[in-house]
Amino acid sequence: AAEGECTVNSPFVEEAEERRKAKVTAAASSSSSSSRAARGSGNPPPKAPPPMKGLPQKPPSLDLWPSDDAGERLEVAVKDRDLGDRDLVLLNGFVHLGGFVPGDIQQRIVDAVREVGISPDLGFYVEQFDGLKVSADTQRLYFGQHWNSVTQAYEPKRKGEQVPELPKLLVDMYLDAIKRANRVMTQGANKKRKLTPFIEDKKPTIAVANYFEPKGSMEMHQDKQESKAAVEAGYPVMGICLGDACELSYSMEAASDGKPKVVRLESGDVYLFGGPARLLWHGVQKVIPHTAPPSLRLLPGRLSVTLRVA
């Protein structure tokens, strides 16, 4: 033994050591025999058993929260841009409420949508054509009722699961936005315009969440899946804009009949169209990357949540 080491000659220790060596030798011999047999037969080694049914096999296709190791996100610095009063009546029945949603409420909406979005049965899914419009690099989900593009009807269930109810936060926001829009239509220069106020105190029954990747777009279309009674009553559609800004094209005529106008929508902006503009043609021309608020926890791109009465 080396200097400083103590050697104990014990039959128990020696016996244990012999057993250990025997197990190591046997295991090595078995592994070698199995490998030779597999090579000799030409068969691949046995596969691992399949995963148990009922357990998640892969992560959700879309999680609105960026991963912690996604790296620093680039943002465009906005300097000397006077946002001012950004509440605008763009058309009779089409109102833009700039900065209507505070930053903390924006995050609450993102979180509420994400909670449903990561669900395997009720979460985000890709649908390039829903019977009315073509979308590119976009995923969607529904609250209240699900639009079945095959049957061309709203249904209470999707894949056998009950569609989640509209969060109260969104319902209250819809009602408040309508009241603010009606006030805007009676203020300043709008007093001299013959504008039709939105119907108040009618709660929305459906919400559609669309996540646009940085290159996402949606062609010009009309929101006319709802009931004939709801459309003819003019109950407004409200859109909430979160994340990167976008250019929204709009027109009272079909896209092929003339060049549409364009309005830029920032994170926190809301727009409403109803009454005489309920069948407004509109679409997302493009998303403007790196324009989201730095504090908003959301993947690069744009989240749109539209509410409507079915």
Side-chain angles (χ1 to χ4, degrees), residues 127 129-133 146-155 224-226:
E127 187 176 59
F129 182 65
D130 63 0
L132 294 175
K133 59 186 178 297
H146 170 73
W147 175 255
N148 188 325
S149 60
V150 177
T151 63
Q152 290 290 289
Y154 279 112
E155 299 176 354
K224 55 182 180 180
Q225 305 102 314
E226 293 70 45

Side-chain angles (χ1 to χ4, degrees), residues 124-173:
F124 281 103
Y125 65 98
V126 177
E127 187 176 59
Q128 292 184 332
F129 182 65
D130 63 0
L132 294 175
K133 59 186 178 297
V134 175
S135 305
D137 299 315
T138 304
Q139 298 188 42
R140 70 173 54 96
L141 61 80
Y142 289 84
F143 291 88
Q145 295 187 66
H146 170 73
W147 175 255
N148 188 325
S149 60
V150 177
T151 63
Q152 290 290 289
Y154 279 112
E155 299 176 354
K157 293 185 177 182
R158 175 185 165 201
K159 296 183 179 180
E161 297 288 337
Q162 190 72 34
V163 177
E165 295 181 356
L166 274 72
K168 184 178 182 299
L169 171 67
L170 295 180
V171 174
D172 293 343
M173 184 177 297

Side-chain angles (χ1 to χ4, degrees), residues 90 94 220 246-251 259-265 283-286 288:
L90 300 171
F94 183 30
M220 295 278 283
C246 80
E247 291 185 354
L248 182 79
S249 304
Y250 66 94
S251 174
K259 186 175 180 181
K261 296 181 179 180
V262 177
V263 60
R264 174 167 169 149
L265 302 174
V284 177
Q285 185 169 301
K286 67 176 181 179
I288 305 171

Side-chain angles (χ1 to χ4, degrees), residues 34-270:
S34 299
S35 298
R36 287 195 301 270
R39 289 195 299 269
S41 64
N43 296 325
K47 296 181 179 180
M52 294 177 62
K53 293 183 178 180
L55 297 178
Q57 307 302 321
K58 60 181 180 179
S61 57
L62 177 63
D63 187 339
L64 292 177
W65 286 354
S67 60
D68 293 335
D69 58 352
E72 184 178 358
R73 177 175 175 176
L74 296 176
E75 310 240 359
V76 174
V78 180
K79 296 181 179 179
D80 302 327
R81 188 172 71 189
D82 183 14
L83 298 180
D85 185 359
R86 297 171 57 228
D87 293 349
L88 301 172
V89 179
L90 300 171
L91 294 171
N92 185 18
F94 183 30
V95 180
H96 171 213
L97 302 179
F100 183 76
V101 187
D104 59 330
I105 303 300
Q106 292 183 44
Q107 188 64 61
R108 286 177 59 185
I109 297 173
V110 170
D111 297 347
V113 174
R114 174 191 178 269
E115 186 175 351
V116 177
I118 60 177
S119 166
D121 293 324
L122 298 172
F124 281 103
Y125 65 98
V126 177
E127 187 176 59
Q128 292 184 332
F129 182 65
D130 63 0
L132 294 175
K133 59 186 178 297
V134 175
S135 305
D137 299 315
T138 304
Q139 298 188 42
R140 70 173 54 96
L141 61 80
Y142 289 84
F143 291 88
Q145 295 187 66
H146 170 73
W147 175 255
N148 188 325
S149 60
V150 177
T151 63
Q152 290 290 289
Y154 279 112
E155 299 176 354
K157 293 185 177 182
R158 175 185 165 201
K159 296 183 179 180
E161 297 288 337
Q162 190 72 34
V163 177
E165 295 181 356
L166 274 72
K168 184 178 182 299
L169 171 67
L170 295 180
V171 174
D172 293 343
M173 184 177 297
Y174 176 89
L175 299 175
D176 289 344
I178 290 176
K179 293 177 181 178
R180 174 164 157 179
N182 282 342
R183 289 197 300 270
V184 170
M185 286 190 279
T186 61
Q187 295 174 349
N190 293 325
K191 291 181 180 180
K192 299 180 181 180
R193 302 170 67 181
K194 295 181 180 180
L195 301 174
T196 305
F198 295 128
I199 298 174
E200 297 186 3
D201 301 325
K202 182 68 174 179
K203 294 182 178 180
T205 56
I206 291 172
V208 187
N210 284 290
Y211 167 71
F212 294 79
E213 297 178 16
K215 293 184 179 180
S217 64
M218 184 178 291
E219 72 173 356
M220 295 278 283
H221 64 282
Q222 295 172 302
D223 288 346
K224 55 182 180 180
Q225 305 102 314
E226 293 70 45
S227 67
K228 182 179 179 181
V231 173
E232 290 182 349
Y235 297 130
V237 173
M238 182 184 83
I240 305 170
C241 309
L242 303 166
D244 285 333
C246 80
E247 291 185 354
L248 182 79
S249 304
Y250 66 94
S251 174
M252 287 302 297
E253 301 174 343
S256 60
D257 295 339
K259 186 175 180 181
K261 296 181 179 180
V262 177
V263 60
R264 174 167 169 149
L265 302 174
E266 306 282 349
S267 188
D269 286 3
V270 160

Side-chain angles (χ1 to χ4, degrees), residues 17-37:
E17 180 63 17
E18 289 299 326
R19 287 199 302 269
R20 187 190 68 80
K21 290 180 179 179
K23 288 181 180 180
V24 172
T25 302
S29 176
S30 176
S31 175
S32 177
S33 298
S34 299
S35 298
R36 287 195 301 270

